[in-house]
């Protein structure tokens, strides 16, 4: 149902790096800014990134993101057990006139 | 500290109505877009709708247009989601979201 596609899961050992892709189209990622959210089940989701690559105050520099064409990527370095969560990209779709979250990616720390 | 608190969830029969409330503090509410997001059991996040700072512009996902209405009261730092003609597929945890922070969510169950 979402117009933004993410891998269902990624994993890595503590201290390693993971990247999460978010694939869209010219009417969403290709035209509008992307945000990234972290969601631990049962808790309030948290915005990690806004405007493609900006971190709100309090978000560690271990979280970084970029956008290129119709895709976006979130990177997490120095992976910690506390990073185990679901991660979502999000952006406005100008053709559908609606905001979409990506399909979500579960991060597992091995 | 930013605080966003939802209330009003519960069990309702198909075709019924429910009104969710969200009260925010710790940031300039009158300068913030407010958004409702939901998560159905076992599913991902879904945007429900948003309202601009003045309450003059509202946007909705196609599946709730004509059934749900977002409103806000800036004097009370509150935003509301009036849900009418509820369907089983509206069952979800509903989150109130702002740029500075999100609430913990309130569960809406639509079932006979």
């Amino acid at each position: 149902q979402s117009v933004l596609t993410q891998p269902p899961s990624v994993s890595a050992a503590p201290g390693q790096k993971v990247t999460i892709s978010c694939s869209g189209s010219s009417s969403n990622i290709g035209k509008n800014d992307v945000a990234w959210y972290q969601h631990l089940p049962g808790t309030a989701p948290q915005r990690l990134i806004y405007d493609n690559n900006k971190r709100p105050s309090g978000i560690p520099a271990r979280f970084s993101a970029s956008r290129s064409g119709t895709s976006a990527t979130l990177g997490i370095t120095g992976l910690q057990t506390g990073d185990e969560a679901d991660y979502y990209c999000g952006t406005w779709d100008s053709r559908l006139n609606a905001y979409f979250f990506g399909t979500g990616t579960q991060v597992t720390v091995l | 500290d930013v605080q966003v608190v939802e209330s009003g969830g519960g069990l309702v029969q198909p075709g019924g109505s429910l009104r969710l409330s969200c009260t925010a503090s710790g940031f300039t509410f009158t300068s913030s877009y407010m958004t409702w997001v939901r998560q159905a059991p076992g599913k991902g996040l879904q945007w429900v709708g948003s309202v601009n700072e003045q309450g003059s512009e509202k946007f909705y996902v196609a599946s709730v247009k004509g059934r749900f209405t977002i409103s806000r009261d800036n004097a009370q730092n509150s935003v509301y989601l009036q849900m009418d003609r509820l369907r089983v597929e509206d069952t979800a945890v509903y989150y109130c979201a702002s740029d500075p922070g999100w609430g913990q969510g309130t569960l809406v169950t639509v079932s006979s």
Side-chain angles (χ1 to χ4, degrees):
Chain A
Q1 184 174 357
S2 180
V3 299
L4 305 176
T5 303
Q6 299 177 230
S9 63
V10 297
S11 61
Q16 298 301 303
K17 176 181 179 178
V18 294
T19 60
I20 301 170
S21 60
C22 176
S23 178
S25 69
S26 59
S27 62
N28 44 66
I29 294 178
K31 183 171 289 189
N32 300 296
D33 291 328
V34 177
W36 288 90
Y37 305 86
Q38 178 192 60
H39 187 205
L40 285 75
T43 70
Q46 181 180 32
R47 189 178 62 162
L48 297 175
I49 298 287
Y50 67 99
D51 289 356
N52 306 312
N53 55 19
K54 297 181 174 63
R55 282 177 288 107
S57 61
I59 301 300
R62 303 188 298 106
F63 296 92
S64 64
S66 62
R67 178 185 69 166
S68 178
T70 59
S71 294
T73 302
L74 174 72
I76 310 173
T77 59
L79 206 58
Q80 302 173 1
T81 55
D83 297 331
E84 288 201 325
D86 297 320
Y87 292 80
Y88 297 87
C89 57
T91 190
W92 187 262
D93 188 292
S94 298
R95 181 176 63 87
L96 298 173
N97 226 28
Y99 191 91
F100 285 89
F101 291 96
T103 49
T105 299
Q106 184 178 55
V107 169
T108 301
V109 181
L110 300 172
Chain B
D1 275 11
V2 172
Q3 282 206 322
V4 178
V5 180
E6 305 94 339
S7 61
L11 174 64
V12 61
Q13 291 189 336
S17 297
L18 211 55
R19 188 192 195 213
L20 305 184
S21 299
C22 167
T23 301
S25 62
F27 62 98
T28 307
F29 184 81
T30 53
S31 299
S32 296
Y33 252 73
M34 296 300 295
T35 293
W36 287 96
V37 175
R38 67 185 180 184
Q39 184 174 37
K43 303 291 187 181
L45 300 177
Q46 183 187 37
W47 174 78
V48 174
S50 298
V51 58
N52 71 345
E53 297 89 337
Q54 299 80 23
S56 57
E57 292 184 336
K58 302 165 190 182
F59 309 88
Y60 302 94
V61 68
S63 59
V64 309
K65 273 181 189 173
R67 299 189 301 122
F68 289 13
T69 303
I70 297 175
S71 61
R72 66 188 293 162
D73 182 344
N74 284 346
Q76 300 293 325
N77 277 17
S78 294
V79 62
Y80 308 97
L81 182 65
Q82 176 67 40
M83 304 184 293
D84 299 318
R85 304 203 311 272
L86 281 159
R87 305 168 180 169
V88 171
E89 55 265 34
D90 294 320
T91 294
V93 175
Y94 284 74
Y95 297 98
C96 177
S98 67
D99 281 346
W102 294 44
Q104 299 267 3
T106 186
L107 176 62
V108 172
T109 304
V110 184
S111 174
S112 54

